[in-house]
Amino acid sequence: MNADSLDWKDPPASDIVSRVVNNAQNGSIILFHNAATNTPEALPGVIEGLKAEGFSFLPVSELIYKDNYTMDHTGRQICDTPAAQGSAE
């Protein structure tokens, strides 16, 4: 996780925004916690800051291969057919 917000430590919203925007990279999955105190206040700044840097957003569900793949107990996606193996790696 290269863009961990560390929001569970309850830093000020401005610190969360700075940490996430400064550490986000292409392909980052940003970690937030649903019970963190200042995350709701920080989210608009995070979204605006990342958009200003040219980032876009999509749900994790769009990152998961669906056709010809299964997921093992570790969350790793396994190709079910030899023809699809080259397209996912």
Side-chain angles (χ1 to χ4, degrees), residues 2-77:
N2 61 349
D4 188 346
S5 67
L6 297 179
D7 58 346
W8 60 272
K9 292 184 175 185
D10 291 331
S14 60
D15 289 359
I16 295 171
V17 172
S18 295
R19 178 172 180 76
V20 171
V21 172
N22 292 332
N23 290 306
Q25 302 171 18
N26 188 26
S28 288
I29 297 175
I30 302 168
L31 178 62
F32 291 103
H33 298 82
N34 60 347
T37 304
N38 297 315
T39 302
E41 182 184 345
L43 284 176
V46 168
I47 293 167
E48 291 169 17
L50 292 174
K51 282 185 174 181
E53 294 290 324
F55 289 97
S56 59
F57 304 87
L58 54 106
V60 172
S61 62
E62 289 186 28
L63 300 174
I64 298 172
Y65 295 117
K66 295 178 177 113
D67 296 331
N68 303 315
Y69 283 84
T70 55
M71 196 170 293
D72 71 10
H73 70 282
T74 68
R76 183 171 181 218
Q77 296 181 78

